Amino acid sequence: MQVQIFSRTRFCLLLDVWTRFCGVIASNSDLIRKFNLFDDGSSRVGRAFLAMALAQDARLGYRLHGLLQEFRDRQARYCDELNRAERGAGNATSWVLWFLEALEASCTRTATLIDECVVRARFWGEQRDITLIERQRKALNRMLDAGPGRSEGGMTARKYAALTQTSSASATRELTDLARKGLLVPKGQGRARRYELEIPGWEWVPPSVKRK
């Protein structure tokens, strides 16, 4: 199944719609107050406006954005921009620009999330004929759930043993087996030995290497 997310053309159209929509909101101080998505009472009105406008533009039965979560992550600046637009001299340009910036960021975040889900599904689809025990599947799922580059320190025998409640000898043997089957790639030697997923771009990079 092919998933079409946010093409550049669709995103430009979405920005155009939101620019005009935000212009209407910004020209009316009452509507600006209703767009406070975090206060009680009026926040429900703001969320309703937001959901309705996006649904009408996208015309889809599902959402491919997480705008409200993006607002929560930027709540302090959101409130600053809202207050500046409401109490200023009627120029809401900075608020509109901030609003569109948040929309773009939410689309990018959701597109990344979908891409990661597709990679996980493809990984297991490609390995469906490989025999694995439950402990190995559990370790692989933990690394996949962490996401690209976020499985700090990779998977070591010590981590594997603690995660799967097995012995150090079994952990080493089962990790070696995963590497032999091409699912993991060994890195380092001796006590520094760790294993990374055999997925381009998903390897954890030590901070010391990133700084170089």
Side-chain angles (χ1 to χ4, degrees):
M1 180 180 69
Q2 184 177 5
V3 179
Q4 181 179 5
I5 307 175
F6 291 95
S7 68
R8 180 175 295 275
T9 300
R10 168 162 285 280
F11 185 70
C12 288
L13 289 173
L14 189 59
L15 286 181
D16 179 64
V17 170
W18 267 101
T19 300
R20 288 184 276 110
F21 178 75
C22 290
V24 173
I25 297 297
S27 65
N28 189 312
S29 59
D30 290 333
L31 286 178
I32 288 177
R33 282 191 290 273
K34 288 179 173 60
F35 248 76
N36 192 328
L37 303 181
F38 301 104
D39 289 344
D40 293 335
S42 63
S43 63
R44 289 190 292 272
V45 178
R47 287 194 295 269
F49 269 121
L50 191 59
M52 180 183 68
L54 285 173
Q56 287 178 343
D57 175 71
R59 299 179 182 178
L60 298 173
Y62 49 85
R63 290 188 308 162
L64 290 177
H65 64 85
L67 190 52
L68 294 183
Q69 181 60 51
E70 192 68 34
F71 282 171
R72 291 189 185 97
D73 293 346
R74 303 172 178 226
Q75 183 169 350
R77 190 179 167 196
Y78 172 87
C79 294
D80 290 342
E81 294 293 345
L82 195 66
N83 290 332
R84 186 178 296 110
E86 179 183 353
R87 299 170 184 172
N91 188 342
T93 301
S94 63
W95 180 75
V96 172
L97 291 175
W98 179 90
F99 199 88
L100 295 174
E101 177 187 316
L103 173 61
E104 180 181 14
S106 73
C107 293
T108 301
R109 175 189 291 193
T110 303
T112 299
L113 178 62
I114 293 174
D115 287 343
E116 291 178 9
C117 290
V118 170
V119 170
R120 294 185 186 99
R122 184 181 295 121
F123 176 87
W124 284 121
E126 293 172 349
Q127 319 307 332
R128 61 182 177 274
D129 296 328
I130 297 179
T131 302
L132 300 172
I133 63 175
E134 189 59 33
R135 288 196 297 267
Q136 289 175 318
R137 290 185 177 276
K138 185 175 184 179
L140 289 171
N141 275 322
R142 175 63 63 87
M143 299 176 75
L144 286 166
D145 289 343
R150 297 193 292 271
S151 182
E152 186 173 352
M155 181 60 68
T156 64
R158 182 175 181 179
K159 287 182 182 179
Y160 186 99
L163 175 65
T164 62
Q165 298 297 298
T166 191
S167 65
S168 297
S170 294
T172 300
R173 183 172 59 254
E174 290 167 15
L175 284 170
T176 301
D177 180 59
L178 287 173
R180 181 179 60 81
K181 292 175 177 176
L183 279 71
L184 295 180
V185 179
K187 301 285 184 179
Q189 299 292 332
R191 293 179 179 273
R193 172 62 64 92
R194 72 179 194 277
Y195 294 83
E196 299 288 349
L197 289 168
E198 182 64 282
I199 301 177
W202 282 54
E203 178 182 353
W204 175 77
V205 179
S208 58
V209 176
K210 291 181 180 179
R211 287 194 293 268
K212 292 181 180 179

